[in-house]
Amino acid sequence: MKITEILKKEHIIADLNLDSKNGVLNEFSEFLKKKGAIENKEALFEALIQREKLGSTGIGENVAIPHAKLDNIDTIITLFARSKKGIEFESLDKKPVHFFCLVIAPANSTGLHLKVLARISKLLKSSSLRDAILNATAVDQIFTILTEEDSKFDNGKAIYL
């Protein structure tokens, strides 16, 4: 799986300027509704809130991977966002989050959903990648940084979504 199979350039937010977890999750829901990727922003927001109640998706090292499953979608939907100032997200290491990768999977998805979460987690472990994204000046640059780093992985088998 390549990141380009699951992330569209138009689903990148280069400068997220919010100050709360709920604000971030609401912004993601509204953004994807405006882009036509989802039909019901309230359903997505509620699914994300319910998932966060199980434990924060702030995995540490300034990274959060909020995720949920939704009815009425038939493919994985992702969104990447950067916050230069960082946002309190109840992360495991208590650090503010600068890098968000939202993953929404169809309600009946199991294996693919987990593969996507693992791929994103692996990609965002790179401190040099995170530094480059933090210093990027535009969406195009962020997308290029992500795809170039992703191409370094040898696990590049295609997944047909």
Side-chain angles (χ1 to χ4, degrees):
M1 168 190 4
K2 292 289 189 186
I3 197 76
T4 53
E5 293 177 69
I6 57 172
L7 179 64
K8 298 176 182 179
K9 190 185 300 186
E10 56 269 16
H11 286 184
I12 294 176
I13 301 171
D15 195 15
L16 193 60
N17 195 12
L18 298 163
D19 57 9
S20 72
K21 179 187 276 197
N22 283 1
V24 168
L25 300 177
N26 186 59
E27 175 68 19
F28 291 169
S29 301
E30 193 163 310
F31 181 89
L32 289 175
K33 170 72 173 155
K34 285 180 183 174
K35 293 286 185 180
I38 61 166
E39 293 179 18
N40 187 335
K41 75 177 190 117
E42 290 80 13
L44 175 56
F45 179 71
E46 185 59 31
L48 292 169
I49 291 294
Q50 291 305 315
R51 171 55 190 87
E52 290 298 321
K53 287 181 179 177
L54 300 174
S56 179
T57 56
I59 62 172
E61 298 300 322
N62 309 113
V63 174
I65 309 175
H67 54 278
K69 292 185 177 184
L70 279 185
D71 293 321
N72 302 324
I73 63 168
D74 56 6
T75 188
I76 297 280
I77 299 168
T78 60
L79 176 154
F80 184 85
R82 174 190 66 183
S83 168
K84 286 192 172 194
K85 70 175 185 171
I87 298 168
E88 167 53 42
F89 210 77
E90 301 170 7
S91 293
L92 299 175
D93 63 0
K94 310 289 187 222
K95 292 180 181 177
V97 172
H98 293 276
F99 314 100
F100 296 87
C101 194
L102 173 72
V103 178
I104 309 161
N108 61 356
S109 172
T110 53
L112 182 59
H113 179 229
L114 297 175
K115 287 179 184 178
V116 168
L117 291 172
R119 182 67 173 206
I120 291 165
S121 179
K122 183 178 179 182
L123 182 64
L124 293 174
K125 281 184 189 273
S126 167
S127 61
S128 61
L129 170 101
R130 294 190 313 266
D131 289 344
I133 291 172
L134 202 54
N135 292 314
T137 58
V139 165
D140 287 346
Q141 196 176 8
I142 291 171
F143 188 74
T144 298
I145 292 164
L146 287 167
T147 56
E148 285 179 358
E149 183 71 19
D150 187 62
S151 71
K152 295 177 184 176
F153 296 140
D154 56 353
N155 179 12
K157 296 180 182 174
I159 289 183
Y160 299 98
L161 304 176

